[in-house]
Amino acid sequence: MVSRVIPVDPFDLVVFGGTGDLARRKIIPALFRRYCSGQVVEGTQVIAAARTDLDTEGYRNVAAASIREFSAGRACEDGTLERFLQMLAYVKLDATGEEGWSALADLIRQDRTRAFYLSVGPSLFAPIAARIRSHGLVNAGTRIVVEKPFGHDLESAKALNATLAEHFHETQIYRIDHYLGKETVQNLMAVRFGNVLFEPLWNAQFVDHIQITVAETVGVGLRGEYYDRAGAMRDMMQNHLMQLLCLIAMEPPARFEPDAVRDEKLKVIRALDAVEPHHIVRGQYDATSDSPGYREAVGHPRSTTESYIALKTHVSNWRWSGTPFYLRTGKRLVARSSVINVVFKDAPHSIFGADAGGAANILSIRLQPNEGITMHVTIKEPGQGGMRLIDVPLDMSFAEALGPEGQDPPDAYERLIMDVIRGNQTLFMRGDEVEAAWAWTDPIIRGWQARGEVPKPYEALSKGPIDADQLMRRDKREWRGIKP
Ligand code: NAP
């Protein structure tokens, strides 16, 4: 099954922070892969901008090395890399001063979509936005792309939104949450709203509870300083898990259009209950013989920042009244696994008797790795005599079901950057969504700070703190295992 690639018209993309980690690991390789696929066409111009003393030739060498490292294994015709590199230019530029801005303005052409990707720390958003404006680079075809974190709390998020709004209309602002670019995340909407099977059951009457797990095996790595100021709540829960929850819980929008979808997501965030203190579990990973524990990794021996959080919340609306949503995310867990489990209620009456066995239906949506969907259904255990029931998975791995396309779906950044160029904001967060998410998050964080709570230690490469199991068991429920 081969999907049709629709080329986009040539565009200009300026990558501020073109020498940084994100640009080298994700943005440039994503553009290269879209070039290989035929979606990015000749005539496109990608201008990297940063302070490092490089010229265009030097930057092309940097880009070539990044592509070789991070796009390895992609089939591309001979000579494609060389042709792609010809589309790249470099401008030495200081975001906080005037150096380089005229040179940048001279390179940008009038007759096409232009996008500015702010792949820099958030403190540079305001000076860059102001200079894009003051150098006359904003026109109707201008788009600006910003990366998380979108603020540290509601106040800073409002300030950031206000800064961007001074220079750009909301329809020009693309806030990237790369989780929304993942194939399966979009499939969530296709599964829910493209099939009649699920939607009639997608409510409190039939769903017992929903579990969302985003587990990582890695620790904080080189991001220790940033991470210790953020923690799992701000770094993951407030954005990625919140977005997944929205897609699971939202009402069907009338049309698959940016504001129709985002309006429905916003309603979900606004309907979220405040979280009770005893419905929150925070943890910090321990050291192993060959890797540091959390506090050592962030260089802060008394840190009270969490590397793990689990919580229970409710969406207080007609559809979900009384259905708990359990969310957990953490670092140094037993496997890298992002999965949503929709756990349905037991059959109202067993005609086979209480001892026959069987289990509730569960729809598992795997976001990574091995993207796919599993429906757990009850069948008769094979054998003679009696009627014993067992739970079997009906498994669809996209890699198997969709052939080569499923095995190698475009990276989230490939899809999201192309959406920026096409002007489709459906998979990007709107300013009011971000603010609503902080309005829910802030009191939770303020609460544990006021109570002086310290995260519980948990064993590295385990499933997280034991207390998180208790969070479920108190409700007579269990987390599904974290599996690779
Ligand atoms: P990084 O590796 O520290 O790169 C920062 C970039 O900004 C560098 O290219 C740096 O280049 C440039 N820069 C710094 N000060 C500048 C100035 N005054 N003028 C012009 N350029 C300047 O950071 P990153 O990891 O790529 O992250 C970039 C943004 O994406 C951050 O907001 C981060 O939170 C976000 N993000 C990153 C990831 C990721 O996987 N890395 C994931 C999600 C979100 P010079 O030193 O050459 O100037």
Side-chain angles (χ1 to χ4, degrees), residues 15-27 49-54 90 93-97 101 117-125 128 146-149 176 178 223 226 235 240 413:
V15 184
F16 292 101
T19 54
D21 175 72
L22 183 70
R24 285 183 292 109
R25 265 190 325 111
K26 292 291 183 184
I27 302 172
R51 293 165 308 176
T52 302
D53 199 8
L54 282 173
Y90 182 78
L93 170 148
D94 187 346
T96 59
W101 282 90
Y117 198 132
L118 274 50
S119 182
V120 292
S123 65
L124 295 180
F125 290 0
I128 292 179
V146 290
E147 273 285 346
K148 75 164 206 183
I176 284 205
H178 70 272
R223 296 167 71 221
Y226 157 76
D235 190 49
H240 302 321
Y413 278 90

Side-chain angles (χ1 to χ4, degrees), residues 164-181:
L164 294 174
E166 267 178 48
H167 306 287
F168 305 97
H169 192 266
E170 182 63 33
T171 54
Q172 297 180 301
I173 304 171
Y174 290 73
R175 296 176 191 79
I176 284 205
D177 180 331
H178 70 272
Y179 258 69
L180 292 181

Side-chain angles (χ1 to χ4, degrees), residues 141-199:
T142 299
R143 280 136 212 188
I144 183 149
V145 185
V146 290
E147 273 285 346
K148 75 164 206 183
F150 310 113
H152 188 71
D153 52 18
L154 178 57
E155 198 185 321
S156 53
K158 278 185 171 168
L160 193 57
N161 282 339
T163 300
L164 294 174
E166 267 178 48
H167 306 287
F168 305 97
H169 192 266
E170 182 63 33
T171 54
Q172 297 180 301
I173 304 171
Y174 290 73
R175 296 176 191 79
I176 284 205
D177 180 331
H178 70 272
Y179 258 69
L180 292 181
K182 287 181 187 292
E183 189 72 22
T184 325
V185 174
Q186 291 165 70
N187 244 322
L188 263 175
M189 285 186 276
V191 166
R192 279 195 63 192
F193 304 130
N195 297 288
V196 292
L197 274 182
F198 299 110
E199 204 47 30

Side-chain angles (χ1 to χ4, degrees), residues 257-274:
E257 287 176 359
D259 278 332
V261 171
R262 297 186 302 175
D263 286 346
E264 295 306 336
K265 281 164 49 197
L266 179 62
K267 286 183 206 162
V268 173
I269 303 175
R270 290 189 172 153
L272 281 176
D273 277 0

Side-chain angles (χ1 to χ4, degrees), residues 8-9 11 113-115 140-145 170-174 256-259 262 415-428:
V8 294
D9 291 337
F11 57 90
T113 295
R114 64 177 71 148
T142 299
R143 280 136 212 188
I144 183 149
V145 185
E170 182 63 33
T171 54
Q172 297 180 301
I173 304 171
Y174 290 73
F256 189 57
E257 287 176 359
D259 278 332
R262 297 186 302 175
R415 175 173 294 109
L416 293 173
I417 294 171
M418 289 301 97
D419 279 356
V420 171
I421 302 305
R422 283 187 290 238
N424 185 341
Q425 290 185 302
T426 309
L427 300 176
F428 299 83

